[in-house]
Structures are given as C-alpha cells and as structure tokens.
Amino acid sequence: MTKHAAFAAEDAAVAAPAPAQPGRRFTSYPPSSCRTAAAQGRRDPGAAGAAARATGSWLNAVPRRAEHDDWMEKHPSALAGFESMLAAAKGKQVVMFLDYDGTLSPIVKDPDTAVMTEEMRDAVRGVAEHFPTAIVSGRCRDKVFNFVKLAELYYAGSHGMDIKGPTPESKHAKAKDEGVLCQPASEFLPVIDEVYRALTATTAAIPGATVENNKFCLSVHFRCVQEEKWRALEEQVRSVLKEYPDLRLTRGRKVLEIRPSIKWDKGNALQFLLEALGFADSNNVFPIYIGDDRTDEDAFKVLRDMGQGIGILVSKIPKETSASYSLREPSEVKEFLHKLVKSKQSTQRD
C-alpha cells in the first residue's frame, strides 16, 4: 500500500469486531493526579456495453450492501436502539462525552469554519441541564470553547491533554474548581511551539496544507491538498519529527496529528473526568461517548473494558470500531441528544 493509499484507508469500509455489551448531582471531586469511524436496453453495442457495466456495478454493490448490513447488525443505530440503551442506563447517572468535529459540527475544508449550528448548541445545552457533559476534542481547548460557547460544560482539548471544569458560576462546579483540572503534557509546550514553527515553514510549499496549533498537540490538515501530494506532505512532516523523538505521529480524518509521547489520550481524559465527578470505580454511572474519529477509539475501548456505558461512532460507512452503536452524521447526533433530554423530562414528570 502506498502512503497516500494509507491516508485514504481512514475512510475505507472494513470489517469490524463485535461490540461490547453494554438524580442530578454535578459536584466535582478533583482526583489527586491527572497522570495516574441492470437495466434492460436495446441490443445495440453501446447499450450492451452499458448493460454489462450496470450489471457489474450491481454485482459489486451486493457484497458492499451485505457488508454494510453485517456492520449495522454489530453496531446498530443509536436511534433505533434508544430504548435498549435507556434500559441499560436505568437507575444510573448518565455522563455525556462529545467529540466536536464531525460529531457536533460537520467536517469542513477549513477547520476554522467548523461552526456548530444554534440548533445543535441548544441540543447540547439541553443535555447539560440534566447530565454532566464534556467536550473531548483534538482541538485547542480555548478554540473548542469559542465554538461551543457553553460555560456549563467540561472541556478536554488537545486530545484530552488540557482539561478544565465548568466556570465557577456554573451550577456544575464548586468555587474551588476555578483552575485547570489537568494538563499532563505541560512540559512539552516549548517543544510543541518549536515544531509548529518548523512545520509551518516546511509545509508552506504544498498548496492546501495547513498546520494548526492545538496547544499540547499539532494538526497538519491535508483535506485541501491534492492526493498526489499526500505522500510528500507526510515525508516532510516525518523529516521534521526526526529531530523530536519525544513526539509521535498519528492519523485522523484527512489530518496528521503530532502529540507528546505520553500515555494520555481521550480514553484517559474520560477516566479522569469520571473520577473528577466522583464516579471512580462506581457501578452507578452510565457514560455515553459520541465521536467520529480514530482518536475516539481510545475512549470507546475504555468503555468496553469497563463494561459500562456505550460508545457511539458517527460514520456513514462501516469502519473498524470498539463502539457499540452508530449514528450517521451530526444531524442524527442532534436527534439522539433531543431524545435523551425528552426521556429525562418524561421521567421527571412521572
């Protein structure tokens, strides 16, 4: 496989393993340490050729359809399986974790224009009224906050390496929760800034390539780069990183991610936040994590290993995942959030 083919594989359909089976109290208890996706025609030569192509296309579609159906059986729609999810969560505290890009906002060519709609913001606000809610993103925490604009949430930026609780005036937090809760990669800040400058200069010759500084990690976006340039872009990135052995390179959806080589990811962020909320080793919590990216798999795996809660992958095509359920796109995420709020409101009326 060529390197640019490897990039494309991120959006490819692949077989997937079977998923794992599956009050209002927002007081925070910060833990001691944060380190711990054939028609018929006339029989002329042209029509015959078209019919053959149509037949071949239809035959090729059959296994793809079968593969999709098999994947959906293993990772059913979270909307279709909503009642089953509610049954599993009965009597437990739901805690909501949401990725941003591709989950609350659509994937766009320019990352700076990935703005969520007011309808989505209202949906997230409604969920946060009833359940502790966190945004877990690869973006810089401040940038995600400026997109979401909801002070009552927890925010985990830089793939969970920059976590902060709700503002003191929020109903979710105590007065003592004013500072940053967790920044396990603080020592890497000077290196990240240095590599950002080097990558910005090195990739400038490739049209469409952009480098985003997410404070504790970097993102090299190539969604607007011609495919024949993908390999050259990766080689340029790797050439810079040779001088920085403490940084590692991973891939997302049309993006290269540069992160510190520490054992900390979105799964660790999920665990940290559960502990901060007082649910460490608790059987009375039901975490729900919704995300669309390869980096969200770390959180899905944590939930699978815990045997609690559910992971929901946002994807229109089959992908290998540890998530239990799926949603096709942000509009379905919004619908799911609305259903969750309506269910809670119904329970409160009863």
Side-chain angles (χ1 to χ4, degrees):
M1 177 184 290
T2 64
K3 290 190 176 181
H4 66 266
F7 281 113
E10 168 62 20
D11 295 320
V14 295
Q21 298 302 320
R24 186 176 173 197
R25 180 170 66 87
F26 299 115
T27 304
S28 294
Y29 300 94
S32 58
S33 172
C34 62
R35 293 182 183 269
T36 342
Q40 289 184 327
R42 303 180 70 176
R43 301 299 293 176
D44 62 75
R53 288 192 296 273
T55 302
S57 177
W58 181 83
L59 289 173
N60 289 334
V62 171
R64 289 198 295 270
R65 177 68 181 182
E67 180 185 7
H68 180 269
D69 291 345
D70 180 63
W71 189 83
M72 287 300 298
E73 184 175 346
K74 295 175 181 177
H75 311 282
S77 167
L79 295 173
F82 188 77
E83 295 303 322
S84 296
M85 185 213 70
L86 282 186
K90 186 175 182 180
K92 300 180 180 181
Q93 173 66 64
V94 170
V95 181
M96 179 64 66
F97 298 89
L98 299 162
D99 182 26
Y100 184 76
D101 294 278
T103 299
L104 298 181
S105 72
I107 296 293
V108 294
K109 290 184 177 181
D110 181 359
D112 290 334
T113 64
V115 179
M116 69 191 300
T117 64
E118 285 300 326
E119 292 80 7
M120 182 66 86
R121 183 172 291 104
D122 287 341
V124 176
R125 183 185 292 112
V127 168
E129 279 286 322
H130 300 284
F131 314 107
T133 302
I135 307 296
V136 186
S137 172
R139 299 269 202 150
C140 169
R141 175 172 53 80
D142 291 340
K143 183 174 289 187
V144 176
F145 179 83
N146 288 334
F147 278 138
V148 180
K149 300 176 182 177
L150 295 175
E152 60 267 36
L153 309 183
Y154 285 85
Y155 288 87
S158 301
H159 297 291
M161 289 183 283
D162 187 8
I163 303 176
K164 188 173 183 179
T167 55
E169 62 269 19
S170 167
K171 68 188 77 174
H172 292 63
K174 282 186 172 183
K176 67 178 181 179
D177 296 330
E178 296 183 21
V180 172
L181 289 177
C182 181
Q183 289 185 336
S186 297
E187 63 189 276
F188 288 89
L189 280 175
V191 174
I192 292 294
D193 287 338
E194 184 177 323
V195 173
Y196 171 70
R197 292 192 294 269
L199 286 175
T200 300
T202 302
T203 63
I206 297 184
T210 59
V211 184
E212 184 178 14
N213 190 337
N214 294 310
K215 190 171 182 177
F216 293 99
C217 60
L218 303 171
S219 298
V220 181
H221 299 276
F222 59 91
R223 188 167 296 275
C224 295
V225 175
Q226 293 181 347
E227 186 172 345
E228 57 267 25
K229 299 287 187 179
W230 290 357
R231 181 174 180 177
L233 177 62
E234 183 183 14
E235 289 176 346
Q236 287 187 354
V237 172
R238 289 188 180 277
S239 69
V240 171
L241 294 183
K242 285 180 181 179
E243 304 299 321
Y244 302 92
D246 290 334
L247 301 180
R248 61 190 175 104
L249 178 67
T250 60
R251 296 190 184 95
R253 295 178 64 178
K254 301 294 189 301
V255 62
L256 295 171
E257 305 276 8
I258 295 94
R259 290 186 268 173
S261 295
I262 62 173
K263 186 172 175 54
W264 195 271
D265 51 39
K266 290 184 176 182
N268 298 105
L270 182 151
Q271 292 175 309
F272 173 86
L273 285 166
L274 287 178
E275 185 179 351
L277 288 162
F279 293 114
D281 302 318
S282 172
N283 293 321
N284 296 319
V285 64
F286 194 84
I288 300 175
Y289 189 106
I290 308 179
D292 75 306
D293 195 67
R294 183 178 294 175
T295 59
D296 297 308
E297 290 297 323
D298 295 315
F300 296 153
K301 290 173 184 175
V302 166
L303 294 180
R304 181 191 62 190
D305 293 342
M306 288 173 54
Q308 293 176 260
I310 59 170
I312 303 175
L313 176 68
V314 183
S315 178
K316 292 183 178 180
I317 61 175
K319 293 181 180 179
E320 185 174 353
T321 183
S322 293
S324 302
Y325 289 89
S326 64
L327 292 168
R328 289 178 54 82
E329 55 195 358
S331 63
E332 289 196 351
V333 173
K334 180 177 67 176
E335 183 178 353
F336 177 86
L337 298 180
H338 281 311
K339 286 174 70 72
L340 194 61
V341 170
K342 289 179 180 178
S343 173
K344 182 65 175 181
Q345 292 171 338
S346 176
T347 301
Q348 290 176 334
R349 287 194 297 268
D350 295 341

